[in-house]
Amino acid sequence: MSHLRDERAQERALMVERQIRMRGGADPRVLEAMQKVPRHLFVPKNKAGYAYEDCALSIGSGQTISQPYIVALMSELLHLEGMERVLEVGTGSGYQAAILCELAGMLYSIERLPNLALAAEKALTDAGYSNFEIKVGDGSLGWPEHAPYDAILVTAAGPETPQALLDQLADGGRLVIPVGLQHLQTLQVWHRSGDNFEKEEAGRVVFVPLIGAQGWQEDRETPWS
Ligand code: SAM
């Protein structure tokens, strides 16, 4: 790790210890990835000083980079071991994507806003990642060309779990998605076994809306608050 990437390692260590491990985060690979990825390089320059705070931050265009604890929790729920093909819906800043690049073999990530997709692609490349592909589009329909996926992570909240995403999950795969109303959702964890889909719930969360054919309609979108 270069000096530049390591310059805020101490802040990251505190973030991992106080915000994640002390709240029950226990997957060593996730803790290691959260310690390694330079989160301050994925937030707007004027917010870099807050990159390791215990909160979500605005990344412009009405969107957010999720709170570090939520990134760790959702990553842990995917049970990744290192070789998986993963789909992320909602690239945003690219930070969660970087964590997934650390944890899996190949990441496909979809973002509906072209300016965010472009900035995320640059941030990921600058940080040294190459095991990813980003496209601009409606991720509520998945990315059928690369399906099936061993894991799917949706980082925007839908009114229900898109059938297209369940269909693109590999046998034995896991899908994590916030589902519910606009200001409060439940984190759903789906596990596929053949044609059988089991669902568990993993707590309450607040995410920006998933806008798309199998999400909310565009006029439901509201500014981040
Ligand atoms: N994972 C991101 C990160 O690490 O910064 C956080 C993502 S932010 C909470 C949710 C993102 O989902 C926004 O960038 C938003 O534009 C995007 N989004 C919403 N609906 C989408 C859709 N149907 N397809 C792809 N992206 C979508």
Side-chain angles (χ1 to χ4, degrees), residues 135-158:
K135 82 163 180 178
V136 175
D138 176 6
S140 75
L141 298 173
W143 193 339
E145 290 85 344
H146 299 295
Y149 301 97
D150 303 303
I152 300 179
L153 180 55
V154 186
T155 66

Side-chain angles (χ1 to χ4, degrees), residues 63-66 88-96 110-113 116 137-140 155-156 207-211:
Q63 305 304 323
T64 56
I65 176 174
S66 304
E88 179 192 30
V89 176
T91 318
S93 68
Y95 175 69
Q96 172 77 74
I110 310 180
E111 170 56 54
R112 65 182 281 270
L113 300 176
L116 292 184
D138 176 6
S140 75
T155 66
F207 274 84
V208 295
L210 178 72
I211 309 287

Side-chain angles (χ1 to χ4, degrees), residues 32-50:
E32 198 181 318
M34 298 291 296
Q35 174 63 52
K36 185 172 173 192
V37 175
R39 183 172 160 96
H40 60 283
L41 301 184
F42 290 86
V43 303
K45 281 205 170 60
N46 65 349
K47 299 229 166 48
Y50 304 99

